[in-house]
Amino acid sequence: MSEAFRNQSHQFEWVHKRLDTDQPFYSDIFLSTTSIKGKNVIQASVRDISGRKHNEDQIRQLATQDPLTGLVNRYVLSERIQHAVKVNQRSKKFGALLFIDLDQFKIINDTQGHQAGDALLQQVAERLPSCVRESDTVARFGGDEFAILLEELSTNELTAAAHAEFVGEKIVRALNRPYLINKREQTNTPSIGVALFSPESDADDILQQADIAMYQAKRSGRNTIRFFDPAMQKSIDLRVALEKDLKRALHDNEFELHYQLQVNHKQTPLGAEALLRWKHPTLGYIPPLDYISIAEESGLIVPIGHWVLETACKQLETWGNNPKTDQLVMAINVSAVQFNETSFVGSIFKAIKKYRIKPHLLKLELTESMLVENLETIIIKMTQLKDLGVSFSLDDFGTGYSSLQYLKKLPLDQLKIDQSFVRDLETNEQDRSIVQTIIAMAKGLQMEVIAEGVETQAQHQMLNDYGCLNYQGYLFARPLVISEFDDLIA
Ligand code: C2E
Ligand code: CA
Ligand code: CA
């Protein structure tokens, strides 16, 4: 009031209590001085601003909270990480960031609908806070990714790591418990990456490192925890360098195709699988597994895959001019990214025309993992290609997510038993059963079956006994340059 007398008016916000309900409400108070009959008096006007306050609260919540789960969002998380680093600088303690990604979330979302996906995310969000202290931050990072910030763990790095690991294991256990989705009990698993941060850490690096560690956890078979370590950073740096080199590899003609023989039980050559080789100018030959995933992530696989298609079809054309080779089938590997290009069917059609090849001599190898998304679109494309006369083999069969339901729907010609099952056929009872099951399944679905990675006579004999009559592997031939391959056939 003295303010009001001094300045003739004064405005402020105040929380009042309603007389009727006793509920508090926000008000805006405006005091002004005036004089009535020569006396200075104060006039107050009170305005109810509960509505505006409520809106402001909501806006604040939207900016900081994930609406689906009620957890804080990534922006709050980044702020808290930055703050945590500052606090650690004073306390000299280590903290940890746990990056959690749900395994196979996409499958639930795609096969059971977004509501099921949302239900899973909400249940995960309910379980996470119980694994940590109240002062720790649990955030939804986006999609099926969550993050947990553990602050001020210990001044000792090992102790801090042990604590983070303990929390990580608690989370794994919590998220392994069944979920109730669509009135059914369902299970899901997390992959967790952990980045410890020291008082010297840079806030931006911490998130990236936890993310990298999470990918490492995925690669180690999922449902597990991995810590970021600098050696991993080295391999990331190598990846970045390789991606740069890959960009000019096509232009500089550094790719080659090698051909690996496929035979039947009479050792008759049936054809070859074309395998990509990159001859790096300074590093020499680099195995495809070291760069295919880089090419896929960067999209470079599309032009590279196109080069493979052109080169293989050109080779088929050459083989077509020789009665010794004019029946050979060429199998080429196709990545999901490449297959999903809208121009894919057209590019196969053009290559067939351009090199005047018999379409049934061209076989496309697809992997199970690429059949998870957009099954309907995939079936349409496959059917268009089948109509052209091209055939399909399902590569690495048995290693991915296979449902008999979709196997039945796909116009496949062949299942390719993954080499991991062939490798231990002689010693591993389980692998023997898997191989027998795949062979029976192929028969039931009226598909051919071929085994890859056949290295020993004993493996060959067992496969033969089980009824698998097509083979590929070092026992018959290694992947060869074209001159060697042609010599072999001759
Ligand atoms: P994949 O399609 O499963 O190819 C079979 C791999 O097994 C090849 O490795 C081959 O050299 C190897 N292999 C063949 N026989 C044997 C054997 O008896 N024992 C053992 N231990 N290995 C054997 P490679 O050439 O390193 O290729 C690795 C993967 O790279 C391929 O696996 C395929 O997924 C991918 N890839 C290769 N070429 C291409 C391509 O042109 N395009 C795309 N998208 N991917 C390709
Ligand atoms: Ca293959
Ligand atoms: Ca394979």
Side-chain angles (χ1 to χ4, degrees):
M1 274 198 236
S2 53
E3 282 291 315
F5 277 120
R6 213 173 8 224
N7 305 328
Q8 288 175 351
S9 72
H10 183 51
Q11 187 172 16
F12 56 97
E13 288 179 5
W14 195 254
V15 186
H16 280 283
K17 217 181 222 171
R18 291 178 65 110
L19 284 176
D20 49 355
T21 59
D22 257 5
Q23 291 294 314
F25 76 97
Y26 282 96
S27 61
D28 179 271
I29 311 230
F30 184 74
L31 302 179
S32 58
T33 54
T34 180
S35 68
I36 298 176
K37 293 180 185 161
K39 262 193 170 176
N40 280 344
V41 292
I42 285 186
Q43 189 180 2
S45 70
V46 179
R47 201 152 48 93
D48 184 347
I49 54 165
S50 312
R52 193 187 86 204
K53 277 285 172 202
H54 178 70
N55 287 347
E56 280 173 4
D57 279 352
Q58 273 202 323
I59 289 167
R60 200 170 310 121
Q61 264 194 0
L62 278 178
T64 58
Q65 219 180 42
D66 167 50
L68 179 70
T69 60
L71 297 177
V72 297
N73 61 22
R74 63 200 297 167
Y75 304 108
V76 176
L77 178 73
S78 319
E79 266 172 22
R80 298 226 178 130
I81 294 172
Q82 270 165 21
H83 181 252
V85 171
K86 280 205 199 103
V87 171
N88 285 0
Q89 278 161 0
R90 280 197 299 274
S91 68
K92 304 274 175 264
K93 283 185 176 166
F94 284 82
L97 182 70
L98 280 68
F99 207 86
I100 305 160
D101 187 284
L102 304 183
D103 302 328
Q104 319 280 24
F105 171 76
K106 238 189 122 27
I107 292 173
I108 293 199
N109 212 36
D110 289 353
T111 56
Q112 303 183 37
H114 289 271
Q115 266 172 345
D118 285 354
L120 175 61
L121 294 173
Q122 282 166 333
Q123 289 176 46
V124 168
E126 276 163 23
R127 291 179 192 186
L128 288 177
S130 63
C131 304
V132 299
R133 299 170 301 191
E134 199 138 338
S135 57
D136 298 323
T137 300
V138 180
R140 174 156 177 232
F141 198 72
D144 60 340
E145 292 170 334
F146 296 84
I148 291 184
L149 177 67
L150 307 175
E151 294 183 51
E152 297 201 87
L153 288 176
S154 167
T155 49
N156 178 297
E157 187 172 6
L158 280 180
T159 313
H163 190 92
E165 166 115 43
F166 173 77
V167 173
E169 277 165 5
K170 220 162 143 185
I171 294 171
V172 169
R173 277 195 303 276
L175 301 191
N176 273 241
R177 291 203 321 266
Y179 298 87
L180 194 65
I181 299 168
N182 282 343
K183 301 201 182 107
R184 272 200 295 143
E185 274 205 353
Q186 306 200 29
T187 53
N188 195 274
T189 55
S191 291
I192 303 179
V194 185
L196 279 190
F197 56 92
S198 71
E200 283 84 43
S201 294
D202 178 77
D204 288 338
D205 292 346
I206 298 168
L207 257 171
Q208 201 203 359
Q209 292 175 351
D211 190 35
I212 290 167
M214 187 276 290
Y215 272 99
Q216 207 59 30
K218 289 247 181 239
R219 235 170 275 156
S220 331
R222 301 161 194 265
N223 201 21
T224 186
I225 308 160
R226 283 290 174 274
F227 277 72
F228 174 82
D229 77 86
M232 214 184 283
Q233 184 68 58
K234 240 184 170 165
S235 88
I236 302 296
D237 294 346
L238 181 68
R239 258 179 102 80
V240 173
L242 279 187
E243 182 179 340
K244 208 170 102 245
D245 292 345
L246 259 184
K247 282 196 179 126
R248 32 137 285 268
L250 251 189
H251 177 265
D252 293 356
N253 270 321
E254 289 168 14
F255 288 114
E256 296 171 8
L257 273 191
H258 288 194
Y259 302 89
Q260 189 177 28
L261 183 69
Q262 298 184 339
V263 297
N264 68 8
H265 61 296
K266 293 180 194 142
Q267 308 258 2
T268 313
L270 300 171
E273 175 177 5
L275 292 160
L276 189 62
R277 298 292 176 259
W278 179 17
K279 199 170 179 185
H280 189 280
T282 53
L283 302 172
Y285 279 112
I286 305 179
L289 291 178
D290 288 0
Y291 60 85
I292 294 282
S293 66
I294 303 177
E296 286 172 338
E297 277 160 27
S298 59
L300 284 167
I301 195 68
V302 175
I304 294 174
H306 191 74
W307 178 86
V308 170
L309 176 68
E310 284 279 315
T311 311
C313 288
K314 210 182 287 171
Q315 189 54 49
L316 269 178
E317 183 185 35
T318 311
W319 283 346
N321 298 326
N322 178 346
K324 273 213 140 87
T325 50
D326 66 0
Q327 293 303 313
L328 295 178
V329 173
M330 181 76 80
I332 67 173
N333 293 285
V334 178
S335 286
V337 191
Q338 195 189 350
F339 189 85
N340 290 335
E341 283 280 296
T342 38
S343 59
F344 184 70
V345 176
S347 68
I348 299 278
F349 179 75
K350 279 190 204 132
I352 289 172
K353 286 277 163 292
K354 180 170 169 193
Y355 297 104
R356 296 180 301 261
I357 55 181
K358 300 191 186 100
H360 72 273
L361 298 181
L362 185 61
K363 182 156 66 186
L364 304 180
E365 293 198 3
L366 309 182
T367 55
E368 272 176 286
S369 53
M370 68 184 272
L371 304 175
V372 175
E373 287 171 56
N374 307 324
L375 195 58
E376 297 308 318
T377 323
I378 289 171
I379 293 176
I380 293 172
K381 275 196 180 176
M382 286 179 76
T383 312
Q384 288 170 337
L385 288 162
K386 283 231 61 124
D387 290 345
L388 290 178
V390 172
S391 63
F392 286 100
S393 181
L394 192 54
D395 204 356
D396 304 342
F397 189 69
T399 60
Y401 167 79
S402 21
S403 123
L404 292 175
Q405 202 55 36
Y406 77 62
L407 262 191
K408 207 174 62 181
K409 286 197 207 161
L410 295 170
L412 289 165
D413 303 271
Q414 186 181 63
L415 297 182
K416 196 167 192 182
I417 304 173
D418 187 64
Q419 50 182 289
S420 60
F421 303 119
V422 176
R423 192 177 308 133
D424 301 324
L425 258 189
E426 293 156 74
T427 50
N428 191 317
E429 180 67 40
Q430 237 177 357
D431 288 350
R432 273 203 288 273
S433 322
I434 292 173
V435 166
Q436 284 171 295
T437 309
I438 296 175
I439 295 168
M441 200 148 66
K443 286 227 169 84
L445 294 162
Q446 275 144 10
M447 292 177 197
E448 261 184 26
V449 59
I450 184 168
E452 69 179 348
V454 183
E455 293 184 354
T456 67
Q457 200 54 54
Q459 290 164 349
H460 178 207
Q461 191 56 51
M462 290 176 89
L463 287 160
N464 189 80
D465 293 346
Y466 296 153
C468 172
L469 304 180
N470 300 317
Y471 320 97
Q472 176 183 344
Y474 295 167
L475 179 64
F476 308 97
R478 295 201 165 235
L480 301 170
V481 295
I482 190 61
S483 57
E484 288 172 340
F485 184 84
D486 283 343
D487 287 350
L488 178 76
I489 297 288

